[in-house]
Amino acid sequence: MATVGLAELRTWLLLLLPLCLTLWAETWHLASAAAAVQGYTGGRDMVCPAVCRCDEDFIYCNDRGLSAIPPLPSYASVLYLQNNQVNNPGLPASLEHHLTVQVVYLYDNELDDFPVRLPPSLRELHLQDNNIRSVPRSALARMPLLEKLHLDDNSISTVSIEDQAFADNPRLRLLFLSRNHLSSIPSGLPASLEELRLDDNRISTIPTHAFRGLASLRSLVLDGNLLANQRIADDTFARLANLTELSLVRNSLQTPPVNLPTAHLQRLSLQDNALTHVPRASLEGMRGLQRLDLSGNNLTTLPRGLFRDLDSLAQLLVRGNPWHCGCNLRWLYDWLLARGNAVAVRGLTCHGPERARDMALVDLGGQMEECEAVRATGNRDRAGAGGGPADASTTLSPPQGSLFTLRSKRPGLGLPDSGLDYTLGSSGVGKSLALNVKPLSHSSVRVTWSVAQPTSSFRLSWLRLGAGSAVGSITETLVRGDRREYLLTALQPRSDYIICMAPLASGSESKGPGAPADGETEEALVCAKAETTELRPVGGGGGHGEDEGSQPMAALPLAGIIGGAAALVFLALALAVSCWYGRRKGHLSSRDHYTRNSSRKGKSHDDYIESGTKKDNTILEIRGPGFQMTPMPACQPTPAKPPPREDYIVHTIFPPSNGTGLFKAAARPSDPGYGTNRGYREGGVPDVDYCYT
């Protein structure tokens, strides 16, 4: 029995033990939570500010019109302070003691200097759209954990960024400096940088060492600057081995930069530049390229084999170019058909020839079938592209960092030998090209031409003939296929020049000046001769071509002087006529007024005295030659006093005919109205408003 009892007790203990353990764990958990809450609330410096909204550790004080940041709770981790009027004094010193803050939004405020009272635990800082003018190293050194820094839309210049300003930020991965006043790439950028935006600045030059040490950079945006091919070093972008995105939109590039990184590049943006041709080797080796944007340029054709290595290309944007969809683009037509839906093409609309205008290239199947010669050329190019050494010579790109025009003693384009006597005129006509030259001044010649068939480009060369057998330097350049005129400048005065031109076949322009083209033949070469005029001193009269160009400009100041003088004379005459008319009108009106109101009519002033038009009851006392106005009380007779011999009293005079004559009433004692108001009214005397003596 005892054994059974012990067994039951043991069973009950086994059942109660888990329950007790569960109750103990719950009690411990509640006690811990209560202690944590008590410690958490007791550790708070203060509650959420009244002007802000707090959502756990997210503090929303944005769009409040604040000029200073209010005291914040110590548990905050993300501060939204944007769209206020906070200035540098408005940042409290206590802000740098909030060691839990990791993200601060301070954009669109009124900061003039880089803030220094920020928490050292900060990892992301937004300061865009302020008026910050400098980036000191001491301010950035207070944030060693900073990873993302936004400084867009400020007033930062290249010289205002302190040397090695980012040296104490080894974790900085993102730096935005868009829409500032930078004139060059900032120096001392951290090696940890992965994304750099410098768009819409004034950067015009990129030296070789600009991106040195940025091996981790993946995205580089240089849109809206002043970049040109001549001011970009040849190996500038070659150092960026891990670059996946390169954007050079809205610059002044004529060709894509050379030595672009090819290993990891996925997006290349070259729209809205001045691209006139793309060398065949520009995209060589870019097997990972997924998006290529060539929109908004001056491209008419693309060389064969340009997309040979673009196996991953998914988007091709080429709108806004004057494409000439002839046999020169037959290879691109075949390439698009072969890729099918694997690549999305936008904007490949033909601008010429006329029968293909406004049509998509992929819709020109019938026209492309007519290109027998081009197909044969395409087979020959594909055979050479199989790895033969002959293709290496066709992938040379024009030099970058120097002018595209080259000078040499023996150019690739054959020019006439200067030692022979050539009878060249000012125009030349070949099988497919007509050339015309005309001197404009002592240092410039205008070259115009016309062609029978469109071509991708022209090779233009000119040679200055020396005395005897001496040969001057030969200069040559490539001209776009859509141009029909060219101006040669900086020529020598009073010199003979031989100017030659030849059309180039598609793809031959990638060899650059100085190299013979496959499509260029001696029969296609057309030459003409021009002679520059003599340089004359100012005022001595120049040559005929110079006078024609300068005479309109010289006549402009003389015409302006004559016109100004005529305008001044006209204004003076108008002013004189106005003054004369005004004076005449005033004189006539005064004469008319005198005729109506004057009563002299040949009488002297002493014969009578005008009473004027104002009615009053004033008595005129005249003594000797003078008189005085003396007001008299109403309806009272004049006081009687014996006047002296020379004095006399004159009653108020009321002329009967509007003041034009002196009234003298005749004595009519027999008239019954005489001496009454009626009698006075009939005699021209006013009524009882006045009294008489």
Side-chain angles (χ1 to χ4, degrees):
M1 191 69 182
T3 304
V4 175
L6 290 175
E8 292 180 355
L9 180 61
R10 185 172 57 186
T11 303
W12 281 103
L13 289 175
L14 291 175
L15 292 174
L16 291 175
L17 182 61
L19 181 60
C20 292
L21 291 176
T22 303
L23 291 175
W24 179 81
E26 291 292 336
T27 304
W28 175 261
H29 179 70
L30 292 175
S32 300
V37 169
Q38 183 178 2
Y40 180 70
T41 56
R44 291 187 184 183
D45 294 335
M46 58 188 63
V47 296
C48 181
V51 296
C52 304
R53 181 176 63 87
C54 301
D55 185 2
E56 295 183 352
D57 55 345
F58 290 74
I59 312 300
Y60 297 90
C61 298
N62 55 296
D63 300 280
R64 300 296 200 276
L66 302 176
S67 59
I69 299 177
L72 301 173
S74 59
Y75 56 85
S77 64
V78 180
L79 303 180
Y80 294 91
L81 304 170
Q82 70 271 18
N83 297 327
N84 283 294
Q85 301 175 6
V86 178
N87 50 21
N88 290 90
L91 298 174
S94 60
L95 187 61
E96 58 183 339
H97 301 298
H98 292 261
L99 302 181
T100 58
V101 175
Q102 297 184 0
V103 182
V104 173
Y105 293 90
L106 268 170
Y107 62 85
D108 196 9
N109 277 282
E110 297 181 0
L111 299 175
D112 294 328
D113 299 313
F114 198 97
V116 295
R117 300 173 180 177
L118 295 176
S121 58
L122 206 59
R123 286 175 169 81
E124 184 174 348
L125 178 58
H126 294 259
L127 294 174
Q128 57 266 39
D129 203 5
N130 279 279
N131 193 31
I132 298 175
R133 295 184 292 268
S134 62
V135 181
R137 179 178 179 178
S138 58
L140 289 170
R142 294 171 176 263
M143 299 173 288
L145 304 179
L146 190 63
E147 299 177 358
K148 298 180 181 180
L149 178 58
H150 297 260
L151 288 170
D152 315 70
D153 297 285
N154 280 283
S155 302
I156 301 172
S157 61
T158 303
V159 296
S160 66
I161 301 178
E162 188 177 348
D163 190 25
Q164 302 297 323
F166 306 96
D168 300 319
N169 304 99
R171 298 188 179 185
L172 189 62
R173 296 184 293 105
L174 182 146
L175 177 60
F176 285 5
L177 284 167
S178 306
R179 293 174 294 280
N180 278 280
H181 306 319
L182 301 178
S183 58
S184 61
I185 307 297
S187 61
L189 297 175
S192 58
L193 206 59
E194 297 179 2
E195 185 174 357
L196 177 61
R197 293 188 65 105
L198 300 172
D199 48 305
D200 294 302
N201 279 280
R202 304 171 184 172
I203 301 174
S204 59
T205 304
I206 302 181
T208 304
H209 57 80
F211 302 113
R212 182 176 299 170
L214 301 182
S216 302
L217 192 64
R218 298 182 180 274
S219 177
L220 176 60
V221 179
L222 292 168
D223 300 350
N225 281 283
L226 306 175
L227 297 175
N229 293 88
Q230 295 84 356
R231 296 181 177 272
I232 301 177
D234 291 346
D235 56 346
T236 295
F237 302 105
R239 302 174 180 270
L240 307 175
N242 293 316
L243 196 67
T244 60
E245 179 182 2
L246 176 60
S247 183
L248 294 166
V249 181
R250 290 183 286 111
N251 281 280
S252 301
L253 301 176
Q254 295 182 351
T255 61
V258 298
N259 298 329
L260 293 176
T262 59
H264 302 92
L265 195 62
Q266 299 177 1
R267 293 177 297 276
L268 178 60
S269 301
L270 296 171
Q271 64 265 32
D272 297 326
N273 276 275
L275 300 182
T276 56
H277 67 285
V278 181
R280 186 180 303 177
S282 298
L283 308 178
E284 187 176 8
M286 297 185 184
R287 303 189 181 277
L289 191 65
Q290 301 176 4
R291 185 179 187 274
L292 175 62
D293 197 340
L294 297 173
S295 305
N297 287 284
N298 296 321
L299 297 173
T300 58
T301 185
L302 294 174
R304 183 184 303 274
L306 179 65
F307 299 156
R308 180 179 51 194
D309 297 335
L310 305 186
D311 301 332
S312 303
L313 190 64
Q315 282 185 301
L316 177 61
L317 309 177
V318 292
R319 61 171 55 90
N321 287 280
W323 297 110
H324 184 84
C325 300
C327 296
N328 54 322
L329 291 182
R330 171 62 191 267
W331 73 269
L332 183 57
Y333 172 82
D334 296 336
W335 184 83
L336 292 176
L337 290 183
R339 293 298 301 270
N341 296 328
V343 57
V345 183
R346 299 288 184 271
L348 191 52
T349 304
C350 301
H351 191 265
E354 190 62 32
R355 63 174 182 171
R357 183 180 294 272
D358 298 331
M359 296 180 63
L361 180 64
V362 294
D363 298 334
L364 300 179
Q367 289 85 338
M368 292 300 166
E369 294 298 332
E370 302 174 0
C371 300
E372 298 293 340
V374 176
R375 281 201 300 269
T377 305
N379 294 332
R380 185 165 60 253
D381 289 346
R382 283 192 292 272
D391 187 64
S393 62
T394 62
T395 58
L396 295 176
S397 58
Q400 181 170 299
S402 60
L403 293 178
F404 192 64
T405 301
L406 301 180
R407 295 180 179 271
S408 62
K409 289 294 182 181
R410 294 294 179 186
L413 179 62
L415 283 170
D417 191 352
S418 60
L420 301 178
D421 185 14
Y422 287 92
T423 57
L424 295 177
S426 61
S427 62
V429 180
K431 292 183 178 180
S432 60
L433 187 143
L435 181 66
N436 185 29
V437 297
K438 179 181 179 181
L440 296 181
S441 66
H442 65 277
S443 62
S444 62
V445 173
R446 182 172 178 261
V447 183
T448 58
W449 64 91
S450 60
V451 291
Q453 296 180 353
T455 183
S456 60
S457 59
F458 301 93
R459 189 184 300 272
L460 177 64
S461 302
W462 58 97
L463 166 67
R464 177 175 176 264
L465 300 179
S469 60
V471 180
S473 61
I474 300 173
T475 308
E476 60 182 19
T477 185
L478 292 181
V479 184
R480 297 199 314 264
D482 59 340
R483 295 188 59 176
R484 293 296 179 267
E485 65 176 356
Y486 195 91
L487 182 64
L488 302 180
T489 58
L491 303 179
Q492 295 294 329
R494 200 176 180 180
S495 301
D496 293 331
Y497 283 88
I498 295 179
I499 302 171
C500 297
M501 174 173 282
L504 301 181
S506 175
S508 61
E509 69 274 8
S510 61
K511 302 176 183 181
D518 296 338
E520 180 185 318
T521 60
E522 292 295 334
E523 291 77 5
L525 181 66
V526 179
C527 296
K529 186 176 180 180
E531 180 180 359
T532 56
T533 59
E534 183 179 358
L535 178 62
R536 299 287 182 86
V538 178
H544 179 68
E546 184 179 357
D547 290 341
E548 288 182 355
S550 61
Q551 186 174 4
M553 297 302 296
L556 287 178
L558 181 59
I561 294 174
I562 295 175
L568 290 177
V569 171
F570 177 77
L571 291 177
L573 289 176
L575 183 60
V577 171
S578 300
C579 294
W580 174 81
Y581 180 74
R583 291 178 60 85
R584 179 176 177 81
K585 186 176 180 181
H587 179 66
L588 291 177
S589 60
S590 62
R591 287 182 57 187
D592 185 51
H593 177 74
Y594 177 80
T595 303
R596 291 194 306 267
N597 298 327
S598 177
S599 61
R600 295 193 173 123
K601 294 184 179 180
K603 299 180 180 180
S604 63
H605 184 72
D606 295 336
D607 294 341
Y608 61 92
I609 298 176
E610 294 183 358
S611 62
T613 58
K614 183 177 180 181
K615 297 181 180 181
D616 56 17
N617 53 359
T618 304
I619 297 298
L620 299 179
E621 289 191 14
I622 300 178
R623 292 181 175 88
F627 65 92
Q628 180 180 3
M629 304 289 290
T630 303
M632 302 297 295
C635 302
Q636 291 185 5
T638 304
K641 64 178 181 177
R645 180 178 300 177
E646 70 278 3
D647 293 348
Y648 52 92
I649 299 298
V650 181
H651 293 283
T652 305
I653 302 172
F654 296 94
S657 57
N658 197 17
T660 59
L662 185 62
F663 173 70
K664 295 182 180 180
R668 292 181 295 177
S670 59
D671 191 351
Y674 179 75
T676 63
N677 292 337
R678 176 181 177 186
Y680 283 114
R681 284 197 300 271
E682 293 178 352
V685 181
D687 54 12
V688 295
D689 291 338
Y690 306 92
C691 62
Y692 312 95
T693 60

